[in-house]
Amino acid sequence: DIVLTQSPALAVSLGQRATISCKTNQNVDYYGNSYMHWYQQKPGQQPKLLIYLASNLASGIPARFSGRGSGTDFTLTIDPVEADDTATYYCQQSRNLPWTFGGGTKLELK
Amino acid sequence: EVQLVETGGGLVQPGRSLKLSCVASGFTFNNYWMSWTRQAPGKGLEWVASITNSGGSTYYPDSVKGRFTISRDNAQNTLYLQMNSLRSEDTATYYCTRSNGGSSFDYWGQGVMVTVSS
């Protein structure tokens, strides 16, 4: 199975940049696409897709969110951070079955 | 507007069965793979099952293979998850999800709670 590793928590100030990382133990690239996706989950709510295929913004997601990376190293950036962005962020790979998620990074405000 | 509404959760004893349903609306159901993903209380996300748009193929992780069965009724726009031989570690909120864009999960239901306990 592909293992995705995220830092458990990150604290940033309002208006600053937040960079959340996700590292995999296997390459998730395939024929020019990186099969990495990012989700936001607020307490008591279902997850929401933010970024698909590493860098594509999902429908309705503000341009403050962006994703980049390839191979085994990926990042989700939020710039600038707003109060409403406090949540847990998960990465997910769909390169190989079983599809797997990272453990999540909880974003808090300083 | 895409909507996914799960039903069928509840409290069940270990070893018993439960069947979840998810009614989809706002999109052409038979054009999309569908999946179930779960989240144990206070824990992260775990993919549970996926089914192709026609229903011809299904996929599971080892943790539920042989115990869970995903199915769909395209005429009724409904996705199912039959869960047998339930264990305490199956206790979780189960989300119905639509698969899109490189097998990301682009829409999620509100979730349904399944508690396995005696």
Side-chain angles (χ1 to χ4, degrees):
Chain A
D1 297 5
I2 296 179
V3 176
L4 286 65
T5 302
Q6 298 181 245
S7 297
L10 178 66
V12 298
S13 301
L14 274 175
Q16 298 302 303
R17 174 185 299 171
T19 302
I20 297 170
S21 71
C22 178
K23 297 184 186 298
T24 64
N25 67 344
Q26 297 178 42
N27 193 319
V28 299
D29 294 351
Y30 188 67
Y31 281 100
N33 285 313
S34 295
Y35 286 81
M36 178 60 69
H37 321 292
W38 290 93
Y39 303 86
Q40 176 194 65
Q41 186 178 33
K42 297 179 181 179
Q45 295 185 18
Q46 68 269 52
K48 178 194 299 184
L49 177 67
L50 299 174
I51 301 287
Y52 65 96
L53 294 174
S55 61
N56 296 278
L57 203 61
S59 175
I61 303 302
R64 302 185 294 104
F65 293 87
S66 63
R68 63 179 300 169
S70 65
T72 61
D73 287 276
F74 297 86
T75 57
L76 171 71
T77 299
I78 310 169
D79 190 11
V81 167
E82 297 183 358
D84 189 52
D85 298 333
T86 54
T88 300
Y89 293 84
Y90 294 94
C91 54
Q92 177 240 331
Q93 67 81 24
S94 59
R95 173 62 181 88
N96 287 342
L97 289 168
W99 296 332
T100 48
F101 290 87
T105 297
K106 188 172 184 179
L107 180 65
E108 300 172 327
L109 295 179
K110 284 182 182 175
Chain B
E1 179 194 6
V2 172
Q3 286 198 318
L4 301 169
V5 180
E6 305 99 333
T7 57
L11 174 64
V12 61
Q13 293 179 327
R16 303 298 290 264
S17 299
L18 200 64
K19 187 172 186 177
L20 306 182
S21 300
C22 169
V23 175
S25 60
F27 65 101
T28 304
F29 185 67
N30 61 12
N31 281 353
Y32 292 87
W33 286 37
M34 297 294 294
S35 303
W36 291 94
T37 299
R38 68 184 179 184
Q39 186 171 37
K43 302 297 184 182
L45 300 167
E46 180 187 18
W47 166 71
V48 170
S50 292
I51 187 167
T52 56
N53 54 321
S54 67
S57 294
T58 57
Y59 306 91
Y60 308 91
D62 287 346
S63 58
V64 307
K65 194 175 295 182
R67 300 189 300 121
F68 289 12
T69 302
I70 188 172
S71 61
R72 64 192 296 162
D73 181 341
N74 284 345
Q76 299 294 323
N77 288 353
T78 303
L79 178 72
Y80 302 100
L81 184 68
Q82 175 68 47
M83 304 183 292
N84 298 332
S85 302
L86 282 161
R87 306 166 179 167
S88 57
E89 55 263 37
D90 296 318
T91 293
T93 296
Y94 285 73
Y95 296 101
C96 170
T97 61
R98 190 180 82 168
S99 296
N100 200 9
S103 296
S104 60
F105 304 121
D106 65 347
Y107 285 95
W108 297 62
Q110 84 286 352
V112 62
M113 184 69 199
V114 172
T115 302
V116 184
S117 174
S118 54

